[in-house]
Amino acid sequence: MATADPTRPGFQLPLLLLAGFRTLIDDLHTELAREGHPELRPLHGFVLQAVGAGGTTATELGQRLGISKQAAGKTVDRLVAVGYLERVDDPSDARRRLVRVTPRGAEGLRRSAEIFDRLRAQWADTLGPERVTALEDDLRTMASANWFRLDVPGWFGG
Amino acid sequence: MATADPTRPGFQLPLLLLAGFRTLIDDLHTELAREGHPELRPLHGFVLQAVGAGGTTATELGQRLGISKQAAGKTVDRLVAVGYLERVDDPSDARRRLVRVTPRGAEGLRRSAEIFDRLRAQWADTLGPERVTALEDDLRTMASANWFRLDVPGWFGG
DNA sequence: TACGATAGTCAACGTGGTTGACGAAATAGT
DNA sequence: ACTATTTCGTCAACCACGTTGACTATCGTA
C-alpha cells in the first residue's frame, strides 16, 4: 500500500476541475487558430481581457492578474511582439507606459468571447442549462476567486 | 467597445474552473507544508501518483502524464533531489532506469490524499454532498479526460 | 529643495514544458 | 551470427511563465 487509491473522491475533484479547464482552453485555441489567431496562447486571452478597453500599465496589470509587475511586463512584451498590444507614453506621467489593446487584439478578444460562448452552449446542450448554471454557482461559492479579479473596473468595454 | 464583456457567460466558466482548481491546490500545499512537506510542489502529487507503487520508467511516466519523456525525466530529477523518488537500475534491461516512490514519497502521497479528502468534505459541507457529486459527474462528462489517464494500471496500491 | 513613493526595466534564477541528436542496449530478421 | 531497427535515457538548446533583488527616472509632497 505504498500509494493512495487514485479513485478516492478527494483526488478526482481537482483532476476533474483541471481537465474541464484544459478541455475548454484546448478547444478555444484549436478554434482560434482556425479563425486566424494561431499565435494567441492559453493565457493571452485573459491578459487581453485584463488590459481592457481603457488601457493599463504593467504594474496595474500585474495587480489585476495577481502576478509581479515584472512578470506582467514580460507578458506584455510577448503580446506586443505578436501585435495584440501596444505601448504608448503617458503624456501626464513620464514614468508610465500605457499598455493598450490593438485592433488586432480586440479582434482576437472578440473571437475568444464568441468561442467561449459557443463552448458553454455545448456544455448546456449536453448537461442541461440548469446544471451548467449550478456548476458555475457552486464554483463561485467555493473558489474564493480573489486571485483573479473578475470585477476590476476597466474590464468592461467603452 | 474594444473588449468583450468579461461577465458574459462563456468567460466565467473557464475562470471558475481554474479558480476552483487553484483554490484546492493552494489549500493542499498550505496544509502539506504545515504537515512537514514544504518542498512538495503543485504537480508533484500527481507525478507521484502516476509513478505508482510498482514503479515506472521516465518514458512510461511521460506517456501517462501526456508529456515528453525528457520533461518526465526532468521532473523525476527534481523529485529525486528532494527525496520523494529514487532511480534504480533494471537488472533485466540495462537501458531502463526504474523510478520508484521512496518511503518519504509514499508518506507525502498519503497525506495529499487525506488532505484532498478533507477539502472535498468541506465542499460537501458547504454545497451539499449531492451537488459535489453532480459537479464531478458533469465534469467527467465534459472533460474528455484523455490527456490524463485516471485509470492507468499501476496507480493502485500494491 | 530634498525625500519618499511609484513605474519600468535589467539580471539571475526556478520550474515545467518542447525538439533534435545521440549512444547504448535490446530485439527482429535474414 | 550479424545486421538492422527500435527503444531508453540523456544532453543541449530553447521557450513560456513566474519569482526576487537592484537600480534609474520621475512624481508628489513636507
Side-chain angles (χ1 to χ4, degrees), chain B residues 41 43-44 66-68 70-71 74-75 78 93-95:
Chain B
R41 317 231 335 93
L43 299 99
H44 291 173
I67 59 176
S68 66
Q70 295 94 326
K74 279 198 261 183
T75 300
R78 287 175 210 121
D93 187 338
R95 292 169 309 176

Side-chain angles (χ1 to χ4, degrees), chain A residues 36-142:
Chain A
H37 294 278
E39 53 277 276
L40 232 31
R41 317 234 334 95
L43 299 99
H44 291 173
F46 297 120
V47 176
L48 249 28
Q49 194 71 53
V51 171
T56 346
T57 62
T59 297
E60 194 184 340
L61 181 60
Q63 287 165 352
R64 289 185 186 180
L65 297 174
I67 59 177
S68 65
K69 60 180 181 176
Q70 295 94 325
K74 281 199 257 185
T75 299
V76 170
D77 288 344
R78 287 174 214 120
L79 265 321
V80 166
V82 290
Y84 287 83
L85 289 178
E86 61 183 356
R87 274 192 239 255
V88 298
D89 289 334
D90 183 339
S92 72
D93 187 338
R95 292 170 307 176
R96 302 177 45 143
R97 304 214 60 203
L98 256 347
V99 175
R100 283 197 317 213
V101 177
T102 63
R104 176 158 178 76
E107 217 273 326
L109 199 45
R110 217 194 60 242
R111 286 198 192 263
S112 291
E114 286 169 4
I115 296 165
F116 271 139
D117 283 352
R118 291 206 295 272
L119 292 172
R120 188 183 183 280
Q122 283 176 218
W123 284 46
D125 281 349
T126 306
L127 304 174
E130 70 295 330
R131 305 238 347 200
V132 177
T133 304
L135 192 148
E136 289 168 337
D137 288 345
D138 290 344
L139 288 175
R140 238 183 304 267
T141 301
M142 296 313 301

